[in-house]
Amino acid sequence: MSTIKRIYTRKIIRYGNYIDYVKYYENQYTHHSVIQSRTKSKEGTKRADSIQRARISIYRLIAGNIGRHSNRQGVFATYTFAESMYDISAVYSKFREYSRRYKRHYGEKLEYVAVAELHKSGAYHMHAVLFNVDRLDFDEHDKIWKYGRVNIKKLKTKYGADGLAKYLSKYLSKEVFDTLINKPLYLCSRGLIRPEVSFGDKSIDNSLSSDKVKLLTIHKGYNALYKKFKKNDRNKSRICRTKSRRI
């Protein structure tokens, strides 16, 4: 059973150049449980809500880590298998093995967020954002991957980080979700910058005044008011996206 820590009506999440603000209509309670994988329960799992939460987590991880290496813009990579892979555990295992080989080959850890895509045939391949990679040597990446082919694209600089985050998170479909019982919904390397989350009452609204921000979106949910801000930081480079879709 989760241990209640405190009551709150406001939540502020800071990641990268963005701030999410949530104003709840009723009291909320912080607790220790963190959902990173799908498990069966007696109450059942609300699929759409779980997918949305995972997409938001992927979105924040990507938007919060893009551009962390000033000398590397990062890449978007697709990993395919020469032989069709139908076992998601094996797919995840091979991707982790690839990341270890990458470290041995280049002498540095691969920083990534990766999501599996499910074909109509039932086979998987992987998509990933690689934060500390700028190399477009396809043959070299194929040798390190060794299970098939790697397609790599440099991240474009003119659209903003949120586009790429939305693009990758959309691969977490309901079809993939249904195959991931007791499995992570996505993979990410250790050491990524995690969102900073603050809880409180209306008094923490003043903390936003210390940030120079621009309101991007506002949305009213059944239990809360959601606002999204972007910091007005002219010195921060505008990083990447391929194609954007709403999540």
Side-chain angles (χ1 to χ4, degrees):
M1 181 178 295
S2 298
T3 302
I4 295 175
K5 296 171 66 178
R6 61 180 297 184
I7 301 173
Y8 66 95
T9 57
R10 305 288 194 279
K11 182 165 66 172
I12 295 177
I13 307 100
R14 290 180 167 85
Y15 53 100
N17 215 27
Y18 298 90
I19 299 174
D20 290 349
Y21 167 89
V22 186
K23 175 184 177 181
Y24 294 96
Y25 304 137
E26 297 179 352
N27 289 341
Q28 305 293 308
Y29 304 90
T30 61
H31 51 79
H32 291 294
S33 63
V34 178
I35 300 175
Q36 289 188 338
S37 62
R38 183 199 169 192
T39 58
K40 288 185 176 179
S41 66
K42 293 181 180 179
E43 296 82 11
T45 303
K46 293 183 179 180
R47 181 171 65 177
D49 289 346
S50 297
I51 293 173
Q52 183 69 359
R53 285 195 298 270
R55 285 178 172 175
I56 290 172
S57 296
I58 293 169
Y59 174 90
R60 288 173 177 161
L61 273 176
I62 294 174
N65 284 274
I66 284 293
R68 64 181 296 190
H69 300 282
S70 58
N71 61 333
R72 299 180 188 178
Q73 188 174 306
V75 299
F76 181 81
T78 298
Y79 300 86
T80 60
F81 295 90
E83 297 182 3
S84 297
M85 296 289 295
Y86 299 97
D87 182 353
I88 188 62
S89 295
V91 170
Y92 280 176
S93 177
K94 289 182 182 300
F95 191 88
R96 292 187 179 108
E97 289 172 3
Y98 155 75
S99 68
R100 290 191 288 269
R101 285 195 298 273
Y102 182 95
K103 182 178 181 179
R104 289 195 297 269
H105 185 84
Y106 288 112
E108 62 177 347
K109 182 177 69 174
L110 184 65
E111 298 177 4
Y112 64 86
V113 174
V115 175
E117 182 180 6
L118 184 66
H119 289 278
K120 292 181 179 179
S121 65
Y124 294 94
H125 66 258
M126 296 289 290
H127 298 279
V129 175
L130 312 179
F131 300 108
N132 61 332
V133 174
D134 250 359
R135 307 175 183 91
L136 294 181
D137 188 335
F138 294 97
D139 292 337
E140 194 73 12
H141 280 281
D142 285 347
K143 290 178 183 178
I144 301 172
W145 172 240
K146 86 176 187 179
Y147 305 117
R149 302 300 301 273
V150 182
N151 183 26
I152 297 177
K153 297 179 181 179
K154 265 195 173 181
L155 305 181
K156 298 180 181 179
T157 59
K158 62 181 180 179
Y159 294 112
D162 63 326
L164 179 69
K166 291 175 182 177
Y167 184 69
L168 183 68
S169 63
K170 63 100 175 176
Y171 285 112
L172 182 58
S173 64
K174 61 183 181 180
E175 291 79 16
V176 172
F177 177 83
D178 288 340
T179 69
L180 294 177
I181 296 175
N182 295 320
K183 300 290 190 305
L185 299 180
Y186 58 92
L187 300 180
C188 63
S189 57
R190 294 181 180 180
L192 296 182
I193 300 173
R194 300 283 177 167
E196 297 179 3
V197 184
S198 302
F199 302 95
D201 55 24
K202 63 181 180 181
S203 63
I204 72 171
D205 292 354
N206 296 329
S207 67
L208 287 175
S209 63
S210 62
D211 294 299
K212 296 180 180 180
V213 297
K214 175 184 178 181
L215 179 63
L216 297 180
T217 61
I218 184 168
H219 169 67
K220 292 183 178 180
Y222 72 92
N223 68 335
L225 175 70
Y226 302 87
K227 293 182 180 180
K228 185 179 190 64
F229 299 91
K230 183 175 182 180
K231 296 179 184 178
N232 293 326
D233 187 351
R234 296 181 182 274
N235 295 324
K236 187 175 181 68
S237 60
R238 298 171 63 193
I239 305 293
C240 85
R241 78 177 174 186
T242 50
K243 182 179 178 182
S244 173
R245 295 190 182 185
R246 289 183 63 87
I247 60 173

